[in-house]
Amino acid sequence: MAARRTTKKPNVSADELKAYYRDMLLIRRFEEKAGQLYGMGLIGGFCHLYIGQEAVVVGLEAAAEEGDKRITSYRDHGHMLACGMDPNGVMAELTGREGGYSKGKGGSMHMFSKEKHFYGGHGIVAAQVPLGAGLAFADKYQENGRVTFTYFGDGAANQGQVYETFNMAALWKLPCIFVIENNQYAMGTSQQRSTSSAEIWERGKAFGIPGEAVDGMDVLAVKAAGETAVAHCRSGKGPYILEIKTYRYRGHSMSDPAKYRTREEVQKMRDERDPIEAVRNMLLQGKHATEDDLKAIDKDIKKIVNESADFAKDSPEPPLEELWTDIYATEVPQEA
């Protein structure tokens, strides 16, 4: 069966296109700053950057509505920013400070926001996939019309719990969009060497789950595919799979030298397929923005990111007694 790929592009206004540019640029600049802080020793532990993959989450958030949920892996900073979480709180959490979203106790890999319906980055490979189905089950049970975006990578797609989840999601027709962020290298092994099927989304056919492959370097293509998936789930037809083909410019984590690919390959992607440059060119060629307009956006984004770094540095480390809080729920739900 030939791979089904989305080809339609949504009609978007100049203001929408500028918003996508701004959102992707915020993620790019934020991650660059996070890399700097990691190098200075201000971010400890693991740190997985999203540079190169910005169009994935920005495109899908453009297709989401208020109340929709999202859950992902440990490469999660971009998802947080795209759903509207405060850069100050995100950066403070990365640096383990009290002003962070998890009060400095979660770090890069474990952040949550109930307000923004962000249910965390998860350090165990593919562990978030059944949790995402659980979130979607709650929505179906409550009949609230919401959907859940469950993100995982090409490496995680080979975990058995993914297919157990596919089975239950299809059986119960859960409003869950399974988003495979295929950056082609998992932790450090190319898809060709680790995965038997060239099109991972087609594995859903065994469970009767439709899906498609998407160009993850094109934010408009991602938005269009996201709208298709959202409409499918909201109509009660069950889950949908999006395999979004993207590319990370950095190593798997900050400690990964990425020797499994050449510098020339990475540079070629940067030069020819960068998602932010693509939108920049659309804005300029369509006369929706001038060079000065885009420079002003970049200046504003850099200010936001620098302020987030300053906020993180100024925020105190959590006191020792804080380690014993937030272990148990403080509110016990009342029986109906």
Side-chain angles (χ1 to χ4, degrees):
M1 177 181 176
R4 176 184 169 191
R5 296 178 184 272
T6 185
T7 56
K8 70 175 184 177
K9 298 288 183 69
N11 291 320
V12 297
S13 67
D15 286 342
E16 287 174 311
L17 202 58
K18 286 179 187 176
Y20 305 153
Y21 178 79
R22 181 184 180 87
D23 290 346
M24 287 193 291
L25 193 61
L26 174 61
I27 295 171
R28 177 73 58 90
R29 297 289 181 251
F30 184 94
E31 294 290 63
E32 289 170 348
K33 179 62 72 174
Q36 291 174 10
L37 296 184
Y38 185 92
M40 295 166 61
L42 295 174
I43 295 176
F46 292 99
C47 185
H48 305 81
L49 302 182
Y50 203 63
I51 296 174
Q53 299 184 209
E54 298 90 352
V56 179
V57 72
V58 171
L60 291 183
E61 285 294 334
E65 294 181 1
E66 176 60 35
D68 290 340
K69 300 177 177 66
R70 63 278 297 160
I71 188 169
T72 186
S73 68
Y74 38 76
R75 196 180 308 281
D76 51 4
H77 314 154
H79 304 73
M80 300 170 196
L81 297 173
C83 74
M85 290 170 66
D86 183 6
N88 287 1
V90 177
M91 193 67 85
E93 188 60 40
L94 296 186
T95 55
R97 304 304 177 96
E98 198 170 16
Y101 267 95
S102 297
K103 301 179 184 177
K105 297 183 289 184
S108 174
M109 298 171 72
H110 303 288
M111 258 184 273
F112 296 81
S113 173
K114 183 178 179 181
E115 177 190 7
K116 297 298 182 182
H117 308 287
F118 178 79
Y119 288 86
H122 293 262
I124 304 300
V125 177
Q128 73 276 14
V129 178
L131 296 178
L135 293 169
F137 178 84
D139 289 330
K140 182 177 177 66
Y141 186 80
Q142 295 172 20
E143 299 180 343
N144 59 19
R146 304 274 67 87
V147 304
T148 296
F149 293 86
T150 299
Y151 293 86
F152 57 103
D154 49 301
N158 290 321
Q159 292 286 317
Q161 59 193 310
V162 171
Y163 302 99
E164 295 178 36
T165 303
F166 281 1
N167 183 56
M168 298 308 295
L171 196 63
W172 292 340
K173 294 189 180 300
L174 300 183
C176 187
I177 301 171
F178 295 105
V179 183
I180 305 169
E181 295 196 74
N182 184 354
N183 62 28
Q184 304 177 43
Y185 284 100
M187 186 172 179
T189 303
S190 68
Q191 180 187 343
Q192 289 76 16
R193 295 180 58 209
S194 66
T195 305
S196 60
S197 49
E199 302 290 336
I200 303 174
W201 71 270
E202 291 186 342
R203 294 179 176 183
K205 291 192 298 181
F207 306 94
I209 303 176
E212 58 190 286
V214 188
D215 181 0
M217 308 305 274
D218 182 339
V219 69
L220 298 186
V222 176
K223 181 178 185 289
E227 289 172 345
T228 298
V230 165
H232 177 91
C233 290
R234 288 203 212 283
S235 66
K237 295 178 181 178
Y240 199 90
I241 299 174
L242 295 176
E243 181 187 352
I244 305 188
K245 312 242 179 171
T246 183
Y247 196 87
R248 57 171 166 79
Y249 296 162
R250 301 290 184 91
H252 173 70
S253 70
M254 286 296 295
S255 59
D256 173 20
K259 293 183 178 180
Y260 41 81
R261 60 185 183 180
T262 65
R263 291 182 179 180
E264 290 76 17
E265 176 186 310
V266 178
Q267 192 60 49
K268 182 178 175 64
M269 288 296 292
R270 280 184 174 272
D271 293 342
E272 300 178 7
R273 303 284 291 121
D274 186 80
I276 299 176
E277 281 299 308
V279 175
R280 185 178 188 279
N281 290 336
M282 277 190 276
L283 287 168
L284 292 174
Q285 292 172 9
K287 300 188 184 304
H288 304 306
T290 65
E291 289 280 3
D292 287 341
D293 294 333
L294 299 184
K295 286 179 181 178
I297 291 174
D298 195 17
K299 182 179 179 180
D300 185 43
I301 291 298
K302 287 178 179 177
K303 181 174 182 292
I304 292 171
V305 170
N306 287 334
E307 287 176 351
S308 74
D310 291 339
F311 176 84
K313 293 173 186 176
D314 293 339
S315 182
E317 294 184 357
L320 188 60
E321 57 268 23
E322 185 62 43
L323 294 175
W324 307 107
T325 65
D326 303 312
I327 298 173
Y328 302 107
T330 54
E331 296 180 11
V332 179
Q334 300 295 314
E335 294 184 7

